[in-house]
Amino acid sequence: MQSKPVRPVLVVIAHGSRDPRHAATVHALVERVRSLRPGLRVETGFLDFNVPSVHGVLESLAAEGVRDVVALPLLLTRAFHAKADIPAVLREAPARLRIRQADVLGPSPLLVAALERRLYEAGLAPADKSSTGVVLASAGSTDPEAIAVIADIAREWWHTGWCAVRPAFASAGSPAGFPRTEDAVRELRALGCERVAVAPYVLAPGFLPDRIARGAAEADLLADVLGPAPEVARVLLERYDAAGQPALAALGA
């Protein structure tokens, strides 16, 4: 009887943080991914601050005899980490591993659904949508591609029925002229939205999400980070499937 081809191992690559809430949230998200696909082996590696490191995870897999890996950046936009840091780490992986780097998570309609889930969990009702202005608060970036993606998400989300949606950036390194969370909150107030909600477009707690929370002090509502929302877990599996198809084809799956 022919054995079933072994699916590539999914290695989720997280940034890492000194804030213990970050790693705890990443692990909760990975557990949800495992629950959605019980037969898939999922490992987690961190670029900095936390263990295990990405390099350590890849070394361990190679020592076990694993051949095929899908490395999935736990990132919402294609900026420096996705374009430079992660490829550099993967180039140092053991030669026996065949590694495919999956796309970052965003943009995706599922992530927008997760943002709305968090807003409704924080107290909004669907009936509040047309009278509510939303601040789409991201960590921020100097990468033009990443900035354009955030602006596009805000514009497309607004067209689904919100009073207004404004992007905001927590990082001090973001380009001049892009609003901070508190500035976007005031702009929506001035626009005449009946209420203002802040939706953090971030995956896990940490320094910049805390800055977003402070900037939301004048808002009516602050949603939680995306974290282990089921929609986020589904995006991870979509990215894994897309990246893993060549390996499965080679195995005859």
Side-chain angles (χ1 to χ4, degrees):
M1 183 176 177
Q2 189 175 10
S3 61
K4 187 177 180 180
V6 177
R7 291 184 174 271
V9 174
L10 170 57
V11 176
V12 176
I13 300 178
H15 184 274
S17 172
R18 292 186 179 89
D19 189 323
R21 297 173 298 167
H22 175 90
T25 302
V26 169
H27 290 310
L29 174 58
V30 168
E31 282 303 316
R32 187 177 286 275
V33 171
R34 291 188 180 117
S35 72
L36 291 177
R37 193 166 300 178
L40 175 63
R41 180 173 178 182
V42 188
E43 302 291 343
T44 308
F46 295 89
L47 290 172
D48 206 353
F49 302 116
N50 303 103
V51 292
S53 67
V54 178
H55 183 73
V57 169
L58 296 175
E59 289 277 0
S60 296
L61 291 173
E64 289 180 31
V66 170
R67 291 301 304 276
D68 289 290
V69 170
V70 170
L72 195 157
L74 198 60
L75 301 167
L76 294 172
T77 57
R78 271 180 44 80
F80 182 78
H81 293 306
K83 294 177 179 178
D85 281 354
I86 291 175
V89 170
L90 297 181
R91 284 194 294 269
E92 297 174 357
R96 68 166 285 116
L97 292 177
R98 293 187 293 248
I99 302 177
R100 290 172 175 82
Q101 182 176 331
D103 288 339
V104 298
L105 303 185
S108 167
L110 285 169
L111 294 177
V112 175
L115 287 166
E116 295 208 3
R117 170 189 290 274
R118 293 302 189 223
L119 286 169
Y120 296 143
E121 288 172 348
L124 277 185
D128 298 328
K129 198 167 183 177
S130 63
S131 57
T132 301
V134 178
V135 177
L136 179 67
S138 72
S141 175
T142 58
D143 186 284
E145 179 183 353
I147 293 167
V149 165
I150 298 299
D152 285 345
I153 293 169
R155 183 166 48 252
E156 291 176 11
W157 199 17
W158 168 52
H159 288 305
T160 67
W162 297 98
C163 173
V165 179
R166 294 290 186 271
F169 301 88
S171 172
S174 295
F178 283 81
R180 300 172 301 170
T181 303
E182 52 267 42
D183 297 328
V185 168
R186 291 169 190 143
E187 180 184 346
L188 291 173
R189 286 265 187 248
L191 193 63
C193 295
E194 186 175 315
R195 68 185 62 76
V196 176
V198 175
Y201 190 59
V202 293
L203 287 165
F207 176 75
L208 291 177
D210 283 349
R211 181 179 285 176
I212 290 171
R214 290 193 296 272
E218 296 179 23
D220 299 294
L221 183 146
L222 171 65
D224 200 358
V225 298
L226 295 174
E231 296 86 355
V232 179
R234 287 167 56 197
V235 176
L236 264 71
L237 289 172
E238 284 186 355
R239 299 294 183 255
Y240 167 81
D241 289 340
Q245 285 305 315
L248 291 173
L251 289 166

